[in-house]
Amino acid sequence: MASEGREYEQLTYEEPASKVARIVMNRPNRRNAQGITMTYELDDAFKRACHDDEINVIIFAAAGDHFNAGHDLSGEGPQNPLSDKVAGLWGGGYEGKGWSGSYAREKEIYLEITERWRNAPKPTIAEVQGSVISGGMMLTWMCDLIVCSDDARFRDATAAEMGIPGVEFFQHPYEMSVRQAKEWLMTGGWMTAHEAERRGMVNHVVSREHLTERTLELAKTIAANNPFTMKLVKQSVNFAQDQMGRKASMDHAFHLHQIGHMQALIVNGFPIDLDSLPPLVRANVDKLVATRKLATAG
C-alpha cells in the first residue's frame, strides 16, 4: 500500500474534502489511455483509499479534456506486470506459448483487477468528461455512481473496429437494455451523455464547469452517512446484480473475447482485426508491430 507521501507517475491522489479521496488519472497527452503503469498505480491508489479509515467515499476522475481513450496501444512502458505487482493468483507466464500468455495477461490486468475495484467496499463515484472509449468504459462501469459533463460521450468500438465482441469487463447488458446493448456494440456508434442518462447508465449530467463541484457535493453527502451502512448498501446491490447472472455472464463473455483475439491472430497475424481499424489507429498499430519485430530481430 502506498505511503501518505507517495508520488505516482500517471495519477494524482487528493483529499478534496473531509472523508473523501479523489484519484485522478493524469496522462492527458494520451487521453489517459490505460497501460500497465497506470493499472497498478490505480490498484495501489484504490487500496490506499480503501484501507484509510478516514476515507468514506472515493471519486475517480481524469485530467484533461477526456476521461479515458481505452487500453494503451502506443507500445510505451512495460507490456506485462512485474511479478511483485501481480494481484491475482493465476500466476505469471505472460510470455507463454500460444495464447496462454495473452490469456493470463488479460485475465490479470483487465478482468480480475477491474472486478476487484468494482467490489471495493467503499462507494466510488466516476467524474467523467469528454470521450470514453472501449477500455475506458470498464473504468466507468466499475464505479457505483457516474456523474458526467454534458459533453461526455461513450463508445465501445471493439466489435465494429477490432473484431472483438466487447471489452473484457462485459457489463453492457447490465448498464442498458439488451437490445440497446446489441445495437451499441454492433454499430460501434457514440452514445451522448444525455442518452446515457436516459438508458440509466449515468446518474447525473451537468455542465463541464460544474462537473467537479457536483461530483464532490455528491461525495460529501454520501461520506456524511454511516460508513459501515454504506458498505452494506453497496454489497447488497452488487450481490443482487450478481444473482441476476452478471458475474457468470461476464466470465463467459471474457472467453468469447479471447476467441475473438485468437480468430484475428489466425487470420491477420495480429490479435485484432486490422482491416476494420480506422486509418489513424491502423497506422499506430502498424508502427507498434514494426517496433516489436525489430526488437525480436535484435
Side-chain angles (χ1 to χ4, degrees):
M1 186 174 68
S3 65
E4 284 298 317
R6 168 75 179 268
E7 291 295 330
Y8 296 105
E9 182 181 342
Q10 296 183 3
L11 304 178
T12 59
Y13 185 97
E14 308 165 354
E15 295 184 16
S18 176
K19 302 180 182 180
V20 177
R22 187 170 183 262
I23 299 168
V24 185
M25 294 179 285
N26 190 25
R27 203 185 180 205
N29 61 319
R30 290 290 183 182
R31 297 188 176 185
N32 297 306
Q34 179 192 355
I36 293 294
T37 299
M38 178 180 286
T39 297
Y40 287 93
E41 287 191 346
L42 283 174
D43 197 48
D44 186 282
F46 278 111
K47 286 179 184 177
R48 174 177 173 176
C50 287
H51 292 177
D52 186 346
D53 291 338
E54 298 302 314
I55 297 298
N56 289 358
V57 176
I58 304 166
I59 294 173
F60 183 36
D65 292 332
H66 301 283
F67 183 78
N68 192 278
H71 301 339
D72 185 8
L73 301 178
S74 69
E76 297 177 1
Q79 296 303 305
N80 295 315
L82 298 175
S83 58
D84 63 337
K85 297 291 186 182
V86 172
L89 299 179
W90 186 267
Y94 303 116
E95 303 295 339
K97 294 181 180 180
W99 197 249
S100 65
S102 296
Y103 181 93
R105 179 180 183 275
E106 294 213 336
K107 183 178 178 65
E108 162 70 16
I109 67 173
Y110 296 136
L111 178 64
E112 292 187 345
I113 207 165
T114 310
E115 178 72 5
R116 188 168 64 257
W117 297 338
R118 180 253 185 186
N119 291 319
K122 298 182 180 181
T124 56
I125 307 174
E127 178 187 318
V128 178
Q129 79 279 3
S131 298
V132 186
I133 302 172
S134 298
M137 295 304 310
M138 297 164 46
L139 299 176
T140 60
W141 286 341
M142 63 88 171
C143 291
D144 301 305
L145 308 177
I146 301 174
V147 180
C148 69
S149 60
D150 52 13
D151 66 348
R153 57 180 189 163
F154 306 90
R155 185 181 189 223
D156 185 351
T158 53
E161 295 182 353
M162 297 183 179
I164 311 298
V167 292
E168 295 88 347
F169 191 77
F170 195 84
Q171 187 84 2
H172 308 65
Y174 295 91
E175 298 291 341
M176 61 196 81
S177 76
V178 292
R179 288 185 176 84
Q180 290 171 336
K182 288 175 182 177
E183 179 181 357
W184 193 50
L185 281 165
M186 290 175 178
T187 61
W190 288 98
M191 186 193 309
T192 67
H194 291 292
E195 179 61 26
E197 185 180 33
R198 284 193 294 269
R199 295 185 182 192
M201 196 179 81
V202 306
N203 297 83
H204 304 282
V205 177
V206 300
S207 65
R208 172 75 76 99
E209 64 179 319
H210 293 123
L211 176 62
T212 298
E213 175 188 358
R214 179 68 182 95
T215 306
L216 183 57
E217 176 187 333
L218 180 60
K220 289 193 292 186
T221 298
I222 296 171
N225 294 329
N226 183 305
F228 185 63
T229 304
M230 297 301 98
K231 291 179 180 181
L232 296 182
V233 168
K234 177 168 181 173
Q235 281 191 320
S236 296
V237 178
N238 279 7
F239 180 77
Q241 192 180 50
D242 288 344
Q243 290 300 102
M244 299 174 196
R246 184 205 66 93
K247 184 60 169 64
S249 298
M250 184 169 291
D251 289 342
H252 177 71
F254 178 74
H255 294 133
L256 296 180
H257 179 101
Q258 301 306 313
I259 290 174
H261 276 314
M262 288 186 284
Q263 170 70 4
L265 185 63
I266 292 169
V267 174
N268 301 304
F270 195 75
I272 58 177
D273 184 2
L274 298 176
D275 293 334
S276 297
L277 291 174
L280 181 59
V281 179
R282 175 64 187 267
N284 289 336
V285 171
D286 286 342
K287 181 180 178 181
L288 176 60
V289 171
T291 300
R292 288 182 177 177
K293 284 183 178 178
L294 284 174
T296 302

